[in-house]
Amino acid sequence: MTSEMMIKACTFYTGHLVKTHFCTWRDIAIPRVNENEILTEKMERAAAFYNFRLQKSLFHHWHSYAEVRKEKLKNMLLQIQQIFSYHKLKVILIKWRDKARYQNKKREDELILKHELQLKKWKNKAKLRKAAEESGLHERSFSEDSLIGETQEFDISMLPERAILQIFFYLNLRDMIICGQVNRAWMLMMQISSLWTAIDLSTVKNVIPDKYIVSTLQRWRLNVLRLNFRGCLLRSKTFRSVSHCRNLQELNVSDCPTLTDESMRHISEGCPGVLYLNLSNTTITNRTMRLLPRHFHNLQNLSLAYCKTFTDKGLQYLNLGNGCHKLIYLDISGCTQISVQGFRNIASSCTGIMHLIINDMPTLTDNCVKALVEKCSHITSVVFIGAPHISDCAFKALSTCKLQKIRFEGNKRITDACFKFIDKNYPNISHVYMADCKRITDNSLRSLSPLKQLTVLNLANCVRIGDVGLRQFLDGPASIRIRELNLSNCVHLSDLSIMKLSERCPNLNYLTLRNCEHLTDLGIEYIVNIFSLESIDLSGTVISDEAFCRSSLNLEHLDVSYCSQLSDEIIKALAIFCTSLTSLSIAGCPKMTDSAIEMLSAKCQYLHILDISGCILLTDQILDDLQIGCKQLRILKMQYCRNISTEAAQRMSSKVQQQEYSCSDPPHWFGYDFEGKPIAECDDVIPPKDSLELTMKGTAYSSEEHAV
């Protein structure tokens, strides 16, 4: 350290020390003059700050109170608006209801008045006809045109070709040949090439000789696209003539006992463009199976149902050449000779199968299904009817496919487990048929409820289904799109299910509640709320004369057979409100009289199928009424109608395509005797299944049956 630095340090320390002592002395020696003013200023600032904080707190509390008050006022105003809207809507709905009731009553009165006028007019026409017949005059036409004046002559050949095709499309081959012999104009109409694209010989089998068939095929060989020889007993030469139809696309030779492998060889060589081939119930062997992949390269539909003479090796031939990989439809029903290896051969040869039908196969097991789906992952629909050994394992194996339609019938091994994860495995499934599967319970319905694409559900004869399961199903999204529902013989269902059904199924078209014995008139009344119904089956129930058809203006098929409490009143309601009816079954209804059929004949002119079996009060008069009013009647069943004479039935048989008649007394399972009196010992007797199925064939058709 140098002396200069030491001097600077001492000078700085001395100056700082003097400054500090001087400031201290100054503060002590010189008192503050404005201390009170400073304190007063501080107090004023403190008071101002306190007042500000107090105002802020009070404002905050006031703001919270104001917000709460505002929210309460807003809610009160909203409630007042809701109450006002509710009362306004209530007034509107009451007025709408009154107006709707008035309009409905007015419509019903108009329909009833119209019905009475038409019935009166129809009775007058019937009297005129009867008087004309008694006087020996020529039979007059009782159509509306005949009342106005005579029908003018019209040459059908003047119509456009499209209209002519629509008219002659409904004629069979024999009728077309007869029409060609009327005159030259009709012969020219019969030579329109479009009329000969489809030739159906199944309706005239054993009527037209083989030589005419051969000449027809040779003449129109370039135009024929579809041939149907089902059940025809033809010679080999006739089958060989099919090979001239080079453009043939569809060929049906099912049930032809004379079809041989040699005939199929000629057909396959001459018709390589066949897309649809039906060989069911024929005697073809492995030789024909070898021809299929060799010549029919574009084959898409193949039916081998009930063909017993080919083997697993024949199925292996399907993989020759390019194979049958374009095949999308296969029917091997009744082919019990096919083993697990045969199904493996099918899987290797036909990987593109989408629709599979295997009915009447008691030898079908889960292993067969597993072997098939290993390579056929495109299957969308399966039908297993009469396959008692199929279980939940087969259903699980099908989870690798994108199923949309499944059908099992008469199976006692299928349980609720197969439906447990159906919404995850098959989200796009639309058709579920599980008829006569005794182990299915309400749990299955609960599993089906999430399916959004389900449109058809058939659980007929699933006797363990009850109200709980059906309500759970209807609570899900599946009920909105459901179009067809079959709950036949589900005896545990009651009126509660029908009430829920009417609320949740606005698009329902086909409803079957056959033999649901716990349903009453109270439940049936809710059917009125389903305006979309086209087909109803209430056979075997205990309903009485309920006007459930008043709102069913679109009703086409009705089955109320074996409802012994029904009388003419229900037929009157049908005649008034359901004039579009095409199929009706009132079999086993002993209270029906001639008056009912008279009203039916006068109004339901589109009736095609009628079953009046067991209606013991009906007489010959109804046949005259049906001939006058129901010109389109095709099928008439009159079993156990003892008051209808044999002579009248024979005259009627020429007016319809199919007729069943007997004048014997009703069987004991009808539940009443020949006078209509109940038979006490038959109270617990259930009509045979065949009789109910016979009734159903002509009445409550389903959408699938229409499609087939």
Side-chain angles (χ1 to χ4, degrees):
M1 177 181 296
T2 60
S3 57
E4 291 82 2
M5 293 178 65
M6 189 65 182
I7 293 170
K8 287 181 179 181
C10 290
T11 303
F12 176 80
Y13 174 76
T14 304
H16 178 71
L17 187 62
V18 171
K19 183 179 180 180
T20 302
H21 285 81
F22 176 79
C23 291
T24 303
W25 171 81
R26 185 189 63 183
D27 292 338
I28 295 172
I30 303 174
R32 292 187 177 181
V33 179
N34 56 350
E35 182 175 358
N36 294 332
E37 295 178 358
I38 294 173
L39 182 61
T40 302
E41 184 182 355
K42 288 183 178 179
M43 290 299 294
E44 289 176 354
R45 286 202 304 266
F49 178 76
Y50 174 76
N51 291 333
F52 173 77
R53 291 290 301 270
L54 183 61
Q55 290 177 358
K56 185 178 179 180
S57 177
L58 291 175
F59 179 78
H60 176 73
H61 288 292
W62 174 85
H63 183 267
S64 300
Y65 170 77
E67 289 293 328
V68 173
R69 185 71 177 175
K70 185 178 178 181
E71 189 67 25
K72 287 183 179 180
L73 291 174
K74 185 178 178 181
N75 292 334
M76 289 175 64
L77 181 61
L78 183 61
Q79 290 178 0
I80 293 173
Q81 291 177 347
Q82 290 177 349
I83 294 172
F84 176 77
S85 300
Y86 170 76
H87 284 284
K88 184 179 178 180
L89 290 175
K90 187 176 181 180
V91 171
I92 294 174
L93 287 174
I94 290 174
K95 291 184 178 180
W96 173 83
R97 183 191 63 185
D98 295 339
K99 186 175 181 180
R101 286 179 177 177
Y102 171 75
Q103 294 290 344
N104 188 42
K105 185 68 170 57
K106 183 179 178 181
R107 180 182 65 85
E108 290 183 3
D109 293 340
E110 291 176 353
L111 289 174
I112 292 173
L113 180 60
K114 183 179 178 181
H115 165 73
E116 292 176 353
L117 293 175
Q118 290 180 349
L119 185 60
K120 184 178 180 180
K121 193 174 182 180
W122 188 85
K123 287 181 178 179
N124 292 334
K125 290 191 294 183
K127 289 180 180 179
L128 291 174
R129 171 175 175 156
K130 188 175 182 180
E133 290 179 351
E134 290 178 354
S135 60
L137 297 177
H138 181 70
E139 181 179 357
R140 295 175 55 190
S141 174
F142 287 86
S143 62
E144 293 297 330
D145 294 335
S146 66
L147 297 177
I148 300 174
E150 295 183 357
T151 305
Q152 297 180 356
E153 293 184 359
F154 179 75
D155 188 1
I156 193 175
S157 62
M158 302 300 293
L159 291 173
E161 181 176 328
R162 183 178 178 183
I164 295 174
L165 292 175
Q166 289 293 328
I167 294 173
F168 290 104
F169 174 76
Y170 297 97
L171 300 182
N172 57 38
L173 181 60
R174 182 171 179 269
D175 294 335
M176 291 177 64
I177 294 175
I178 294 174
C179 290
Q181 299 173 354
V182 174
N183 53 37
R184 181 176 178 80
W186 283 59
M187 182 183 68
L188 293 176
M189 286 190 295
M190 291 298 102
Q191 292 179 358
I192 299 176
S193 59
S194 301
L195 287 174
W196 299 94
T197 57
I199 300 179
D200 186 1
L201 292 167
S202 62
T203 57
V204 291
K205 53 187 175 183
N206 305 327
V207 176
I208 300 179
D210 284 24
K211 61 179 182 179
Y212 290 112
I213 299 175
V214 173
S215 62
T216 301
L217 293 178
Q218 289 178 348
R219 181 175 182 179
W220 303 104
R221 59 185 181 274
L222 298 180
N223 302 101
V224 176
L225 300 178
R226 296 181 292 276
L227 274 177
N228 187 358
F229 291 128
R230 183 175 60 85
C232 296
L233 189 63
L234 305 175
R235 295 181 299 178
S236 300
K237 182 180 179 181
T238 307
F239 283 117
R240 286 198 297 270
S241 64
V242 178
S243 61
H244 299 299
C245 304
R246 305 290 297 180
N247 298 321
L248 189 65
Q249 296 181 2
E250 299 181 10
L251 177 61
N252 187 346
V253 290
S254 59
D255 301 318
C256 293
T258 55
L259 181 70
T260 61
D261 293 331
E262 186 65 20
S263 301
M264 282 303 304
R265 184 180 67 82
H266 289 284
I267 294 173
S268 62
E269 291 176 353
C271 308
V274 171
L275 303 176
Y276 169 89
L277 181 60
N278 191 340
L279 300 172
S280 59
N281 200 20
T282 58
T283 57
I284 61 156
T285 65
N286 292 344
R287 291 181 56 193
T288 297
M289 303 295 287
R290 187 191 293 266
L291 297 172
L292 298 181
R294 182 177 299 174
H295 298 284
F296 299 134
H297 303 295
N298 298 316
L299 189 63
Q300 296 180 2
N301 292 45
L302 176 62
S303 177
L304 300 172
Y306 306 101
C307 294
K308 304 285 188 177
T309 50
F310 71 87
T311 63
D312 292 344
K313 189 175 182 181
L315 295 173
Q316 189 176 3
Y317 290 151
L318 296 178
N319 203 22
L320 295 176
N322 294 327
C324 294
H325 295 290
K326 293 185 179 180
L327 198 67
I328 61 175
Y329 175 94
L330 179 63
D331 186 354
I332 52 175
S333 302
C335 299
T336 54
Q337 74 275 16
I338 302 178
S339 64
V340 177
Q341 183 58 41
F343 281 95
R344 291 195 182 98
N345 296 337
I346 294 175
S348 301
S349 308
C350 312
T351 55
I353 291 179
M354 298 177 63
H355 309 286
L356 181 65
I357 300 179
I358 310 178
N359 298 332
D360 298 330
M361 284 277 283
T363 57
L364 186 68
T365 62
D366 295 338
N367 292 330
C368 298
V369 178
K370 292 178 181 179
L372 186 63
V373 300
E374 284 180 357
K375 297 182 179 180
C376 298
S377 59
H378 301 289
I379 297 177
T380 59
S381 67
V382 293
V383 180
F384 297 143
I385 301 177
H389 299 295
I390 293 294
S391 68
D392 296 336
C393 296
F395 201 90
K396 183 178 180 180
L398 289 168
S399 61
T400 58
C401 306
K402 298 179 180 179
L403 283 184
Q404 296 179 5
K405 299 181 182 180
I406 56 172
R407 183 167 185 172
F408 290 78
E409 288 189 17
N411 191 296
K412 296 182 180 180
R413 301 185 66 186
I414 294 291
T415 66
D416 295 332
C418 67
F419 293 116
K420 190 173 182 180
F421 301 106
I422 190 171
D423 57 326
K424 297 180 180 179
N425 295 333
Y426 316 109
N428 297 320
I429 197 165
S430 60
H431 292 59
V432 176
Y433 296 85
M434 287 291 176
D436 202 17
C437 295
K438 306 296 186 183
R439 298 182 65 181
I440 290 180
T441 66
D442 290 340
N443 293 330
S444 296
L445 281 173
R446 184 171 61 251
S447 301
L448 291 172
S449 62
L451 298 176
K452 297 181 180 180
Q453 304 298 325
L454 189 64
T455 58
V456 177
L457 178 61
N458 188 332
L459 296 176
N461 299 324
C462 295
V463 295
R464 300 177 69 180
I465 296 294
D467 288 335
V468 176
L470 185 58
R471 287 201 299 269
Q472 290 175 342
F473 169 76
L474 295 175
D475 286 333
S479 61
I480 305 299
R481 295 175 60 90
I482 197 75
R483 183 171 51 86
E484 179 180 340
L485 183 61
N486 190 336
L487 299 172
S488 300
N489 295 312
C490 295
V491 295
H492 296 296
L493 296 179
S494 66
D495 296 337
L496 296 176
S497 298
I498 306 303
M499 180 178 65
K500 189 74 172 179
L501 188 69
S502 64
E503 297 174 355
R504 297 288 299 170
C505 299
N507 299 313
L508 191 63
N509 298 137
Y510 300 87
L511 176 62
T512 302
L513 299 171
R514 186 196 317 172
N515 292 335
C516 294
E517 55 189 26
H518 288 97
L519 295 183
T520 64
D521 294 336
L522 182 62
I524 299 302
E525 287 181 354
Y526 288 102
I527 295 181
V528 179
N529 300 326
I530 310 177
F531 301 102
S532 58
L533 278 179
E534 299 178 8
S535 175
I536 306 176
D537 184 357
L538 299 173
S539 58
T541 58
V542 293
I543 62 171
S544 58
D545 289 322
E546 290 293 330
F548 62 87
C549 53
R550 287 182 180 271
S551 300
S552 303
L553 302 181
N554 299 323
L555 192 64
E556 297 181 4
H557 310 285
L558 177 63
D559 189 346
V560 287
S561 54
Y562 307 105
C563 299
S564 57
Q565 301 298 322
L566 297 181
S567 64
D568 295 350
E569 291 298 321
I570 189 173
I571 303 299
K572 182 179 179 180
L574 290 173
I576 296 175
F577 301 103
C578 304
T579 56
S580 300
L581 201 66
T582 61
S583 175
L584 175 64
S585 177
I586 52 175
C589 299
K591 296 182 180 180
M592 298 294 174
T593 64
D594 290 350
S595 177
I597 305 302
E598 184 182 33
M599 291 185 289
L600 192 70
S601 303
K603 296 297 295 295
C604 300
Q605 57 181 344
Y606 303 110
L607 197 64
H608 294 167
I609 302 171
L610 178 62
D611 189 354
I612 54 175
S613 301
C615 298
I616 55 177
L617 300 180
L618 301 182
T619 64
D620 294 348
Q621 179 62 38
I622 68 161
L623 301 183
D624 295 333
D625 296 338
L626 290 174
Q627 290 183 38
I628 298 173
C630 300
K631 299 290 187 181
Q632 301 185 26
L633 190 64
R634 299 198 308 263
I635 300 176
L636 178 60
K637 299 178 182 180
M638 303 181 294
Q639 299 284 354
Y640 317 118
C641 296
R642 61 193 313 271
N643 289 328
I644 297 178
S645 63
T646 305
E647 294 77 10
Q650 289 178 350
R651 291 194 302 268
M652 189 65 186
S653 62
S654 61
K655 306 294 183 181
V656 295
Q657 296 180 4
Q658 178 183 343
Q659 178 175 298
E660 299 177 8
Y661 167 74
S662 70
C663 58
S664 57
D665 294 337
H668 67 279
W669 46 263
F670 268 60
Y672 55 87
D673 59 13
F674 65 94
E675 295 181 351
K677 297 179 180 179
I679 302 177
E681 58 269 19
C682 293
D683 289 343
D684 297 330
V685 177
I686 299 176
K689 183 179 179 182
D690 295 340
S691 67
L692 293 178
E693 290 179 349
L694 180 66
T695 304
M696 279 298 295
K697 288 179 182 177
T699 53
Y701 297 116
S702 67
S703 57
E704 285 298 308
E705 290 168 345
H706 280 305
V708 172

